[in-house]
Amino acid sequence: MIMQLEPILKEAGELLKEGFYGAFKTQYKDKADLVTEYDVLIEKFLMPKLKGAYPNDEIFGEESYKGNTFPKSGIFVDPIDGTTNFVHRLPHVGISVGVWRDGKAVEGGVYNPILDEMYLAQKGSGAFCNGTRLHVSQSTTLQEALLATGFPYTKNSSPMDLGFVLNSMTNLLPLVRDLRRYGAASLDLCLVAKGTFDGFYEINLKPWDVAAGIVMVEEAGGKVTTHEGGAYDMNDRTIIASNGAIHEALVNEIGFYE
Ligand code: IPD
Ligand code: CA
Ligand code: CA
Ligand code: CA
């Protein structure tokens, strides 16, 4: 089934590249939350193609879905994950499509057309980057762990979000090898699947940021939960992904401050 995602993502990737190496208009959703004409264009391109490939699934795209809650099944689409990177021409940008059924990640594709890296995963069949099977890292301690995280775009709106960001860093930085903020959650998860990062965590992500990356991590042998260590649901506010071996240590160190 993921076979049908690949050509759709490839074609959408041509659009992304056209923008990345060309010119485009950018607008503000919020003070630090950008949207470009290519975010909208790529989503408009993807919607009918995905409807054709998955006629029975409901599709939720970042630029068109107006609701705040999400059902347990659906296709979650991020036309450009890493819009700030896209605007600054930093080549960590992905097009992400994740298929979930009954609260479980079943298929995912994330494509970075700038690096020409196509990540594909299917429940039970493994995760792959450009055809090579992915496996999470083998690190067993936080001391040897390279972690990734992200910061919410609307930092000023919620002291709780900022508290989570600052406190998790205060706890983790002295314990880990280092921490990266790379700017595209879907690809951060792919890099956990690849074993580049040993773990990833963030607050306030949306299903389109993580739907595809979660199946990638799980199929590469890793683990994904909330900050409390419970099963991740699309409506949860926090996510921790790891190689599994350091998961408990991460859950213990990443506090959640109300
Ligand atoms: C963002 C990226 C970023 C994460 C933000 C997301 P967008 O998605 O995934 O890494 O930190 O919270 O909103 O808006 O660039 O698609
Ligand atoms: Ca966005
Ligand atoms: Ca995103
Ligand atoms: Ca986006």
Side-chain angles (χ1 to χ4, degrees):
M1 291 293 275
I2 42 172
M3 296 300 283
Q4 55 185 357
L5 274 182
E6 187 172 1
I8 298 174
L9 288 170
K10 272 263 173 191
E11 230 186 305
E14 291 304 313
L15 277 175
L16 193 152
K17 271 202 285 191
E18 178 190 290
F20 192 88
Y21 294 113
F24 51 79
K25 290 199 189 76
T26 304
Q27 289 183 313
Y28 288 89
K29 288 183 179 175
D30 194 19
K31 213 165 77 183
D33 190 358
L34 308 175
V35 58
T36 73
E37 58 187 306
Y38 277 90
D39 295 80
V40 177
L41 196 71
I42 294 169
E43 184 158 317
K44 281 196 176 137
F45 167 84
L46 286 170
M47 285 302 198
K49 299 262 180 196
L50 292 170
K51 197 74 220 161
Y54 301 88
N56 302 319
D57 291 279
E58 205 177 339
I59 308 179
F60 302 87
E62 180 186 1
E63 308 308 338
S64 52
Y65 183 59
K66 302 290 174 231
N68 274 321
T69 55
F70 301 90
K72 290 190 177 305
S73 301
I75 300 190
F76 301 95
V77 180
D78 198 335
I80 301 181
D81 189 36
T83 296
T84 304
N85 287 349
F86 181 76
V87 168
H88 289 259
R89 270 74 174 182
L90 201 159
H92 190 67
V93 285
I95 303 167
S96 178
V97 177
V99 182
W100 279 56
R101 303 230 167 84
D102 298 323
K104 298 263 179 297
V106 294
E107 282 173 40
V110 183
Y111 182 44
N112 178 343
I114 309 304
L115 303 182
D116 193 22
E117 287 182 343
M118 176 71 72
Y119 294 90
L120 294 167
Q122 183 159 19
K123 195 174 165 58
S125 305
F128 302 84
C129 178
N130 293 348
T132 301
R133 183 106 193 224
L134 301 180
H135 301 282
V136 293
S137 74
Q138 306 215 323
S139 318
T140 54
T141 63
L142 288 183
Q143 197 191 324
E144 48 186 341
L146 181 64
L147 301 182
T149 188
F151 314 133
Y153 286 152
T154 50
K155 294 171 227 13
N156 299 332
S157 65
S158 165
M160 183 165 72
D161 293 355
L162 197 56
F164 177 85
V165 168
L166 298 178
N167 284 301
S168 57
M169 286 203 286
T170 305
N171 291 353
L172 282 170
L173 272 177
L175 302 177
V176 299
R177 182 167 288 168
D178 212 344
L179 186 56
R180 297 284 179 270
R181 194 291 191 252
Y182 229 29
S186 62
L187 285 168
D188 295 338
L189 287 162
C190 290
L191 292 176
V192 173
K194 210 179 205 173
T196 307
F197 294 139
D198 304 282
F200 164 78
Y201 70 93
E202 191 162 343
I203 188 170
N204 252 356
L205 290 174
K206 290 287 197 302
W208 37 76
D209 299 311
V210 297
I214 289 174
V215 60
M216 222 69 67
V217 171
E218 289 176 348
E219 283 302 310
K223 188 169 178 179
V224 181
T225 67
T226 66
H227 74 286
E228 289 171 317
Y232 178 83
D233 172 272
M234 282 308 182
N235 297 296
D236 278 315
R237 295 198 55 232
T238 59
I239 186 168
I240 300 179
S242 81
N243 66 359
I246 63 163
H247 207 88
E248 202 182 323
L250 280 179
V251 170
N252 290 338
E253 295 302 334
I254 296 173
F256 191 75
Y257 296 82
E258 305 279 337

